Amino acid sequence: MSEAAHTDGSPTVVLVHGAFADGSSWNGVIERLQTQGVKVTAPANPLRGISSDSAYIASVLDQIPGPVVTVGHSYGGAVITNAASLAQNVVGLVYVAAFATEEGEKLGEAEGTSKDSVLSSALVPLQYPSPGGELGVEFAIHPERFRDAFAADLPEEETAVMAATQQPIVESAFSEPGGPPAWKQLPSWAVVATGDKAAGSDVVRSMAERAGARTTEVQGSHVIMISQPQAVTDVILEAGAAVGAAAAAR
């Protein structure tokens, strides 16, 4: 990437993965953004709870020079909703099959209203040692249910690898209330996957509408950024162009 691409004032795109995943879930999108000369990074989301994960991602955002467009997938949407309220340089939000939470809202309760999601029946509780020495609870997706609940439009061989490498998420991520949402102050975009059986297409769509997001519906599963990376990239590029034009106008 040329030095000019680093200094032209265009926003850096920060891709935040969700539960049961890691930054590699954005690989197809990253490749396409880099081809367009876009500055992009996909930090690790710790998956240890809304407040702590949001504080961590906010610290990442604060260390990036210039404006930032944050992109969240699934649980990562709730994280960027909170983190962008803590950071000073975020100019736009993109939700990809993601939760755009309201203040005080709990993901577990929101997910429970979905008629499209089958995720809760596919989760397996696991134990881990918490900092206080007690055993905490985290969730993974049962490997035999992973493809159906999470990535039904990907090949079985690929989803088997994803199931084996999934990152569990702490139980409190579903029960901890969200903080003040950044979408009340920032422009937002959303990609709704019509076959999303994890977050639930209905819940994602409803949250996007509530946030006033410019919404694009794409046929595919919860991991739409893997199965339809170009469609997701197009929305991110649209967001980056829009906030860049707004900044230039100011």
Side-chain angles (χ1 to χ4, degrees), residues 50 78 99 101-113 172-178 207:
I50 293 291
F99 299 107
T101 46
E102 175 61 280
E103 185 170 7
E105 190 168 34
K106 300 176 182 178
L107 288 183
E109 293 177 355
E111 182 82 2
T113 68
S172 62
F174 296 99
S175 58
E176 183 181 357
M207 287 187 171

Side-chain angles (χ1 to χ4, degrees), residues 18 142 174 219 244:
H142 193 291
F174 296 99
Q219 184 175 0

Side-chain angles (χ1 to χ4, degrees), residues 28-55:
V29 172
I30 291 171
E31 292 168 358
R32 287 163 174 80
L33 290 174
Q34 289 180 335
T35 297
Q36 296 296 316
V38 175
K39 297 165 286 185
V40 57
T41 184
N45 183 1
L47 306 181
R48 296 295 92 181
I50 293 291
S51 59
S52 62
D53 292 345
S54 299

Side-chain angles (χ1 to χ4, degrees), residues 159-186:
T159 57
V161 173
M162 292 169 64
T165 58
Q166 64 177 298
Q167 305 297 305
I169 185 168
V170 69
E171 182 278 332
S172 62
F174 296 99
S175 58
E176 183 181 357
W183 50 258
K184 289 190 175 181
Q185 285 77 42
L186 296 172

Side-chain angles (χ1 to χ4, degrees), residues 47-185:
L47 306 181
R48 296 295 92 181
I50 293 291
S51 59
S52 62
D53 292 345
S54 299
Y56 177 81
I57 294 299
S59 74
V60 172
L61 301 175
D62 279 334
Q63 295 175 71
I64 296 174
V68 169
V69 170
T70 57
V71 185
H73 173 246
S74 191
Y75 167 74
V79 172
I80 68 167
T81 295
N82 290 266
S85 293
L86 302 173
Q88 303 300 312
N89 55 344
V90 180
V91 294
L93 308 162
V94 181
Y95 295 93
V96 178
F99 299 107
T101 46
E102 175 61 280
E103 185 170 7
E105 190 168 34
K106 300 176 182 178
L107 288 183
E109 293 177 355
E111 182 82 2
T113 68
S114 175
K115 295 180 180 179
D116 294 334
S117 175
V118 300
L119 182 63
S120 61
S121 64
L123 295 179
V124 178
L126 305 170
Q127 293 183 329
Y128 72 97
S130 67
E134 299 179 354
L135 291 177
V137 177
E138 60 184 6
F139 290 107
I141 301 176
H142 193 291
E144 294 181 2
R145 296 290 309 280
F146 191 94
R147 185 170 187 268
D148 174 60
F150 203 70
D153 57 350
L154 296 181
E156 290 186 15
E157 295 82 359
E158 185 173 1
T159 57
V161 173
M162 292 169 64
T165 58
Q166 64 177 298
Q167 305 297 305
I169 185 168
V170 69
E171 182 278 332
S172 62
F174 296 99
S175 58
E176 183 181 357
W183 50 258
K184 289 190 175 181
Q185 285 77 42

